[in-house]
Amino acid sequence: MRVLIVEDEARLARNIAQVLREEVSFAVDISNDGEDGQHMALTNPYDLIILDLMLPRVNGMDILRRLRAADNPAPVLVLTARDAPADMVAGLNAGGDDYLTKPFDMSVLVARCRALVRRSHGKPSAVVEAGPLKIDTVSHLVVYEDQSILLPALEYRLLEYLAMRQGAVVSKTELIEHLYGFEAENFSNVIEVYISSLRKRFDPDHRLIRTVRGQGYILGEAPA
């Protein structure tokens, strides 16, 4: 999953990004400026946007309204020092999906981020099932036919994204866009490498992770 943090407190933005990368295995982009953040939000496919309201150049409320006017579906967590009920109501009415005030507990932020991403993909439970696979999006533990599997971070991130899009064909381009931030290095065959590794672990017959030639991959048991 790929997240955008639009926050002018650079240190806070870095701290949030570090936690989301290390604990949640999200790819994270950061903008410390409202104008730049708005451009990034409108031109990149994010699974979640964490948005401050008091930003230089373009304020967060305007960004939120423009995102929704453009039918951008990314869930938005408003993160701000504005704690008056009227501000909360305005933020939610403008299209925010959740509202968290500063100061905040980082564990609460993480839990809300996870919940927003799950719900945006129609997966309300923390455990996502795909045939004999069970994927715990909190512990990152994968269970296949009662066997527990701990995956490297990027393999887990790929599997989780396919599980969230379960039953749909997901292109290689979409996977790269949602698994990597701007600062990450990736190579043209990296998706194939991770798919191959996942198959070796639990899907040697390619019945769970299927290739749709010329289109991408689909997670879900093939018909018998």
Side-chain angles (χ1 to χ4, degrees):
M1 302 297 164
R2 187 178 178 188
V3 177
L4 172 64
I5 301 172
V6 188
E7 167 61 66
D8 65 334
E9 295 181 49
R11 182 176 179 181
L12 174 61
R14 289 195 302 269
N15 289 342
I16 295 171
Q18 181 178 358
V19 170
L20 293 181
R21 288 174 181 137
E22 295 179 358
E23 294 188 15
V24 195
S25 194
F26 284 166
V28 183
D29 294 327
I30 297 174
S31 174
N32 303 129
D33 174 89
E35 186 173 69
D36 178 62
Q38 177 177 268
H39 175 74
M40 292 172 69
L42 288 170
T43 56
N44 295 283
Y46 290 105
D47 298 287
L48 174 67
I49 297 170
I50 299 173
L51 180 64
D52 188 16
L53 293 184
M54 294 180 285
L55 295 164
R57 304 180 74 180
V58 179
N59 69 64
M61 198 68 77
D62 285 342
I63 294 173
L64 187 51
R65 293 191 185 100
R66 286 166 188 162
L67 282 171
R68 297 321 184 205
D71 292 326
N72 189 306
V76 175
L77 170 60
V78 177
L79 183 65
T80 178
R82 294 183 179 178
D83 58 0
D87 291 321
M88 297 180 190
V89 170
L92 295 171
N93 285 343
D97 297 275
D98 200 354
Y99 196 105
L100 184 62
T101 58
K102 304 173 185 176
F104 60 91
D105 185 279
M106 190 66 77
S107 64
V108 173
L109 173 70
V110 168
R112 291 189 181 205
C113 289
R114 284 186 168 125
L116 285 170
V117 169
R118 290 197 310 266
R119 288 203 297 270
S120 72
H121 287 282
K123 307 290 184 184
S125 173
V127 178
V128 179
E129 298 190 23
L133 272 177
K134 293 183 179 180
I135 302 165
D136 190 322
T137 61
V138 175
S139 68
H140 294 179
L141 182 67
V142 176
V143 178
Y144 176 72
E145 295 183 342
D146 298 324
Q147 177 184 357
S148 297
I149 305 169
L150 282 175
L151 297 174
L154 282 172
E155 286 184 31
Y156 171 81
R157 193 183 298 173
L158 171 58
L159 181 63
E160 182 187 71
Y161 188 79
L162 288 174
M164 291 294 180
R165 301 273 281 113
Q166 186 178 163
V169 178
V170 183
S171 70
K172 176 182 173 182
T173 298
E174 181 180 344
L175 287 169
I176 290 174
E177 287 177 339
H178 286 266
L179 299 183
Y180 294 95
F182 285 126
E183 296 179 359
E185 293 184 8
N186 60 79
F187 304 95
S188 60
N189 68 334
V190 68
I191 299 300
E192 290 92 337
V193 170
Y194 292 138
I195 291 288
S196 176
S197 180
L198 289 171
R199 283 171 168 163
K200 288 177 182 177
R201 294 178 189 277
F202 57 77
D203 188 30
D205 298 325
H206 299 193
R207 291 185 58 83
L208 273 176
I209 304 174
R210 291 173 282 146
T211 300
V212 181
R213 190 172 299 277
Q215 298 183 55
Y217 304 96
I218 181 170
L219 180 66
E221 285 190 289

